[in-house]
Amino acid sequence: MTDPTPAPAETLPETAALTRLAEEVERFNNHRFVAVQNSLWRLLMFQFLRGLAFGLGSVMGATILVSMIAWWLSQFEFLPLIGDWMVILSDEFERALGNGNGITSDP
């Protein structure tokens, strides 16, 4: 007859897999990322600093990009025509707002 008692726990493959899984979960829980996520205040501070860094990087990147484009456009000779057009447009805005030639916007 065969023995109906189960095999020792160390020899079952399921037990070994569960042991490895428990070790991985423990290692994951000890990770710094999880420690930050466990505290609301640390999470808020981390997200705030992340937002500040993103905003600063966006502003600096846009500033550099716009200044490079402006420098590149200033190398062309025909752009004074656009400058003259902008002066005319500015004068029209001033006149429409009542700041020039005696025209007022009051009813």
Side-chain angles (χ1 to χ4, degrees), residues 1-98:
M1 259 190 158
T2 61
D3 188 17
T5 59
E10 293 82 21
T11 60
L12 292 176
E14 294 86 8
T15 305
L18 283 175
T19 303
R20 286 194 313 269
L21 180 63
E23 290 169 356
E24 289 297 320
V25 168
E26 183 179 349
R27 195 180 95 191
F28 178 73
N29 282 336
N30 292 331
H31 197 273
R32 189 181 67 139
F33 177 77
V34 175
V36 168
Q37 303 294 324
N38 283 339
S39 169
L40 177 64
W41 294 110
R42 279 189 281 182
L43 178 64
L44 289 174
M45 182 58 75
F46 176 74
Q47 293 297 331
F48 176 73
L49 293 175
R50 181 175 166 229
L52 283 177
F54 179 79
L56 179 64
S58 297
V59 168
M60 288 177 58
T63 301
I64 291 170
L65 183 65
V66 167
S67 65
M68 288 175 58
I69 290 172
W71 173 82
W72 181 68
L73 288 175
S74 71
Q75 302 303 310
F76 294 105
E77 295 295 326
F78 66 89
L79 284 181
L81 296 176
I82 294 175
D84 294 338
W85 179 72
M86 289 302 288
V87 168
I88 294 170
L89 191 62
S90 170
D91 290 341
E92 290 296 322
F93 280 133
E94 286 182 16
R95 203 164 31 122
L97 292 175

Side-chain angles (χ1 to χ4, degrees), residues 96-97 103-107:
L97 292 175
I103 300 174
T104 61
S105 61
D106 293 331

